[in-house]
Amino acid sequence: PLSGVSLWAQPPGAQVALGELLVLRCAVAAGTGPLSFTWHRGGSGAPLGTGPRLELRHVGDNDSGHYHCRVSDGDGVAESVPLNVTVL
């Protein structure tokens, strides 16, 4: 089963200056088979992106918030702990 879904941010601490680039990466400690990734902010339904990496170019004030990735292996789904992104 899927486990150990974690998020990493660049810049560290997920504090990014207005107009700069934010990169989020999703990692899975355990899981078998082909993995699919979707990215979400807050309670929004539509995914922001797919794949283990999400790039937000030229971040704006409205990009602040809690982000998480959801991973599916076809049998189960696991989510990362939300990461709070702050735009400075």
Side-chain angles (χ1 to χ4, degrees):
L2 283 170
S3 66
V5 180
S6 58
L7 272 189
W8 303 89
Q10 184 66 37
Q15 293 192 339
V16 58
L18 193 66
E20 296 292 337
L21 169 70
L22 172 70
V23 178
L24 300 177
R25 289 188 181 86
C26 190
V28 179
T32 57
L35 301 176
S36 63
F37 298 82
T38 55
W39 290 91
H40 304 269
R41 182 177 73 222
S44 66
L48 301 169
T50 58
R53 175 183 164 108
L54 178 69
E55 280 193 15
L56 297 176
R57 297 174 184 275
H58 311 294
V59 295
D61 290 326
N62 59 342
D63 290 315
S64 289
H66 290 85
Y67 288 75
H68 66 274
C69 68
R70 187 175 293 155
V71 185
S72 171
D73 64 358
D75 294 323
V77 175
E79 285 190 2
S80 68
V81 172
L83 178 71
N84 187 32
V85 170
T86 305
V87 178
L88 305 174

